[in-house]
Amino acid sequence: MTDSARSKAADGPRVELRGAEATMLATLYGRALDARSPDPILGDMLAAETLDKINFDPTQTGLRPGDHYSVAMRAEFLDGWTREFLARHRSATVLHLGCGLDTRVWRVNPGPGVAWYDIDLPDVIALRRTLFGDRTGSTMIASSVTDPAWLAEVPQDRPTLVVAEGLVYYLTETGGRALLRRLVDSFPTGQMIFDGFSRLGIRLQRLNGAVHKAAATLHWGIDWPTELETIHWRLHCTDVVGVFDASDFSVLSTRYQVLAALGKNVPAMANMARYYRLDF
């Protein structure tokens, strides 16, 4: 953040959050750092512009030098799956669960036949409205994603994509399974895409700087795709991709190349963080 941007941000809304909500500042900060790097991965300039509007202490995000790589890579990967779904379904509904301050709807830029819904807790949506305003074709819903009531605001007669980046592991297993079951029951056909941690990843959560700094707690660990398929008979896992297999780490620092090499070749690490795509 430049000196002039810091001066402007000092006049913007003061953002102080704790728990899972606070981690949205870490991801916003990570995407902004990537956008301003010499060779950006995601290139999310709206994230950088949004960061300049708020008054917060970036040292409280818990991001270590270089962590913005993983933030940008995760967003880029799930953006790709989102675009693939929308390329096949020009008329569709997108449910962006736990949207935080993610600018995915601008990055993906869905066509006029897509109804996009950003869903998150009321204080998050209030901040989102202040920073982003309204966008044609997208609607913000202020609600916990696990509250069944918000589904009444969404059309249920079209192919539906559920995007849940950085969310599933904050849910309890009971609450998460109930949410996924409810979503499958609510729509005729669709797809779910999200990232998840294994049970080992959950046990090692205090090594996650952003989670630790926010005093957040991870709950739901997933070791096998079949665990997800038992949630509902219509759920079928079509893709499981390890985080270290999903992106080209050769363009990154030596530290991250070493980490990726370990992640690919040590089974416990290879399965610790993965991307899931399920059809229903």
Side-chain angles (χ1 to χ4, degrees):
M1 188 181 293
T2 64
D3 290 340
S4 60
R6 288 182 188 278
S7 176
K8 292 178 182 178
D11 298 326
R14 178 69 183 177
V15 180
E16 294 180 339
L17 301 168
R18 297 292 287 173
E21 292 175 57
T23 60
M24 72 180 184
L25 296 176
T27 52
L28 176 68
Y29 184 50
R31 293 195 307 274
L33 288 178
D34 169 72
R36 290 183 169 136
S37 66
D39 298 299
I41 295 167
L42 187 66
D44 187 350
M45 285 308 300
L46 181 55
E49 294 165 7
T50 302
L51 187 72
D52 289 344
K53 296 178 182 178
I54 62 177
N55 180 5
F56 90 111
D57 181 1
T59 65
Q60 295 303 304
T61 62
L63 260 65
R64 295 158 296 195
D67 280 357
H68 66 279
Y69 294 136
S70 59
V71 172
M73 285 178 168
R74 182 179 72 176
E76 180 192 42
F77 188 85
L78 292 178
D79 280 0
W81 273 356
T82 301
R83 292 188 180 98
E84 286 180 21
F85 182 89
L86 295 180
R88 294 194 302 271
H89 304 284
R90 300 294 183 178
S91 178
T93 297
V94 176
L95 306 179
H96 190 195
L97 305 185
C99 59
L101 296 178
D102 198 309
T103 60
R104 174 162 284 116
V105 66
W106 284 273
R107 297 194 306 267
V108 172
N109 192 27
V114 174
W116 187 290
Y117 294 85
D118 287 308
I119 302 106
D120 214 319
L121 295 168
D123 55 346
V124 175
I125 292 298
L127 178 60
R128 189 177 176 88
R129 289 187 190 282
T130 298
L131 295 173
F132 297 134
D134 294 324
R135 183 187 186 280
T136 301
S138 69
T139 301
M140 288 179 264
I141 298 178
S143 173
S144 166
V145 297
T146 58
D147 183 347
W150 65 265
L151 277 166
E153 302 182 43
V154 177
Q156 300 183 7
D157 59 349
R158 300 192 295 176
T160 299
L161 175 67
V162 178
V163 187
E165 179 182 350
L167 171 71
V168 167
Y169 28 74
Y170 287 106
L171 306 175
T172 64
E173 182 171 355
T174 299
R177 289 175 69 91
L179 170 62
L180 268 56
R181 187 180 305 112
R182 188 180 308 121
L183 290 168
V184 175
D185 281 336
S186 297
F187 302 99
T189 185
Q191 199 170 85
M192 297 181 184
I193 59 174
F194 56 86
D195 57 311
F197 285 132
S198 67
R199 288 177 177 82
L200 176 60
I202 298 298
R203 289 198 296 271
L204 297 178
Q205 63 183 281
R206 289 309 166 195
L207 299 179
N208 186 315
V211 172
H212 180 66
K213 199 72 174 181
T217 302
L218 307 182
H219 298 282
W220 188 13
I222 303 164
D223 286 339
W224 306 103
T226 49
E227 297 175 38
L228 296 168
E229 294 178 330
T230 63
I231 293 174
H232 198 290
W233 66 270
R234 290 175 57 207
L235 271 179
H236 174 60
C237 192
T238 60
D239 295 278
V240 182
V241 182
V243 166
F244 295 111
D245 292 319
S247 303
D248 181 10
F249 281 77
S250 66
V251 300
L252 305 184
S253 66
T254 301
R255 171 176 173 253
Y256 273 82
Q257 289 183 45
V258 171
L259 182 63
L262 288 172
K264 289 181 179 181
N265 295 293
V266 178
M269 289 187 65
N271 298 329
M272 192 159 24
R274 297 185 287 192
Y275 301 114
Y276 294 91
R277 177 157 58 175
L278 300 99
D279 286 343
F280 61 89

